[in-house]
Amino acid sequence: MTHTSTPLQHCHQSWLLPLLLYGLRLQLRGAGREGGLNDPSMKWVWARRCNRTVENSDFVRYHYNGTLLDGTPFDSRAPGMHPLPDTGPLGLAGTQGQQGQQPGHTVGAASLCPALQQGWCSSMIPQSSLWHSTALPGAAAVASKPSSSSFSNTSYSKGSTYDTYVGTGWLIKGMDQGLLGMCAGEKRSIIIPPFLAYGEKGYGTVIPPQASLVFSVLLVDFHNPKDGVFLEHLEVPETCKRRAVTGDFVRYHYNGTLMDGTLFDSSYSRNQTYNTYIGKGYIIPGMDQGLQGVCIGEHRRVVIPPHLAYGENGAGDKIPGSAVLIFDVHIIDFHNPADPVEIETVFRPEGCNVTSRHRDFVRYHYNCSLLDGTRLFSSCVTPQHPYVCKANWVVPPCWAGLHPSCRGCGAQGFACAVFPARGVPGSAVLRFEVELISMEEGVPEGYLFIWHGEPPANLYEQMDLNKDREIPAEEFSTFIKSQVAEGKGRLMPSSDPEKVIADMFQNQDRNQDGKITPEELKLKSDEDQEKIHEEL
């Protein structure tokens, strides 16, 4: 679409200023919508996602191509053009053409004229929805996309964007005005009359006097030095019991892109979450701020200005200097080292009056999963094969999650595993769904067997069944089993009672000769007094 008008250099000076003010008014009134209110020939097409537009004092990064109205390129690197004097880039204010440096980047002959790489970025939103034509008063607005030949030897081929502040005098007035109101990712044709460009003198042998300039601009990104982190909550779980705070250890997936959509890093490509403490300075300040208050399972977009990311220097060859970064994150889980085990009883049988206690032996079914629902392990392969577990066979907080519990009751326990077991990611929070099948009363710590009452008065004589003053392993085992069968005592609960009895015998056979003598047999109470070692 075009906006026809008499070229500025042929206009009568008497109506030049009113036309300029009218055109600027149209631009301001038409910004942010398709079609200026009073000018049906003006078409405004923006990027699909535009949280805000360029304002004065913003720092912009853009690609460009500069031509005269007849299509002649004036970039110093265009074919057949001669290098311009080292007086700073075209597009800078004439009074500052001798500046050797401007905020945020170096200028000079090596970075002449705000100029576009061959072709548009392939990662951009479709071109048809992004082209935005802007005509400053006195020249035509070109709505069609420039031909590919006009994009050779431009800012892309120089390997970097043109970076500068807007509205602070670093650019010619027409460019300062033409960049206002742009969205990141937007393409715009800016036609600048000579009195807002290089006027009657032109610029060397490249830009003739009274020349109107056409800049085809692709805005890569922009920010303001006063900008903070911008958050977009893409998906928040309906229930969120706790939100992350400083000191929490967070595991999350992310895609990191520039504002033009270029992907610079992704945890998904490594099939591994990024794990870190937040608020402790382990990550860039913008992410430290952006992860505050997240919920487990939340999807969040974090937009970080460069002064809270990698600044003017960028990082490696993927993140350019002064780049705004966008992280789309998915919070897998988080915890704090001071977190306790969280227990939720989902079912409790009626009449439950006996519950599990410390050192009881329990049999239970379980399902183990990550907080995002990923199933890790399950005992319920078949109903006939319950998983048998005791305290030192499972993650200790899981054991705590079974205490106190009734036979047949179900519970969900949450434990923090700080070691990578098979199939369990490091530092993952685990969810156990547990159903208690049975339990046996345990014995005090340090004991393998206890009597329900007083032990026999003549213990050695009763244990020495053949009265030969020696107690081999067979006699010892027979005696202990008889005490259990008669209800006089109980063994430490175990899935292998024979192993428990064998350990008891080995403890009493102090010289390891295969038999226990009267001098070797000692009760635990006797050993506590003598401070020797643990026994019965």
Side-chain angles (χ1 to χ4, degrees), residues 1-5 19 22 26 39-42 135-143:
M1 180 177 293
T2 60
H3 176 78
T4 58
S5 176
L19 179 60
Y22 177 72
L26 283 181
D39 188 353
S41 66
M42 189 75 80
L136 293 182
V142 182

Side-chain angles (χ1 to χ4, degrees), residues 22-190:
Y22 177 72
L24 290 177
R25 181 171 60 86
L26 283 181
Q27 283 186 299
L28 293 175
R29 294 183 66 183
R33 59 180 296 164
E34 184 168 332
L37 293 179
N38 298 316
D39 188 353
S41 66
M42 189 75 80
K43 186 172 181 63
W44 304 75
V45 183
W46 305 94
R48 290 179 180 174
R49 186 178 77 233
C50 189
N51 296 320
R52 79 172 184 91
T53 60
V54 174
E55 301 173 358
N56 281 323
S57 77
D58 281 347
F59 188 84
V60 296
R61 298 174 55 247
Y62 62 94
H63 283 300
Y64 75 95
N65 180 46
T67 67
L68 304 179
L69 282 178
D70 63 2
T72 303
F74 53 74
D75 189 284
S76 65
R77 297 187 182 185
M81 300 296 292
H82 297 288
L84 295 174
D86 187 9
T87 56
L90 288 175
L92 278 179
T95 58
Q96 298 179 358
Q98 298 297 327
Q99 290 289 111
Q101 189 172 10
Q102 69 178 37
H105 73 295
T106 302
V107 298
S111 57
L112 288 170
C113 196
L116 290 165
Q117 180 177 341
Q118 296 185 14
W120 299 100
C121 288
S122 59
S123 59
M124 286 293 137
I125 303 171
Q127 298 160 357
S128 61
S129 66
L130 284 176
W131 190 252
H132 172 205
S133 300
T134 301
L136 293 182
V142 182
S144 60
K145 177 185 171 184
S147 64
S148 59
S149 61
S150 66
F151 290 88
S152 61
N153 297 306
T154 58
S155 62
Y156 280 101
S157 61
K158 295 176 183 179
S160 63
T161 54
Y162 187 76
D163 308 336
T164 188
Y165 286 97
V166 174
T168 57
W170 290 99
L171 296 167
I172 56 175
K173 292 182 179 180
M175 186 62 87
D176 259 345
Q177 296 175 21
L179 292 172
L180 293 175
M182 289 190 74
C183 293
E186 183 181 343
K187 300 174 184 177
R188 177 178 287 191
S189 179
I190 305 172

Side-chain angles (χ1 to χ4, degrees), residues 249-254 265-268 270-277 282-284 287 291 310 330-333:
F249 191 85
V250 183
R251 298 194 317 120
Y252 61 95
H253 273 300
Y254 70 90
D265 192 20
S266 174
S267 64
Y268 294 100
R270 295 185 291 273
N271 195 31
Q272 183 176 352
T273 57
Y274 190 81
N275 310 329
T276 187
Y277 288 96
Y282 293 110
I283 48 182
I284 57 176
M287 281 300 282
L291 293 175
Y310 295 99
H330 176 206
I331 306 302
I332 302 303
D333 63 38

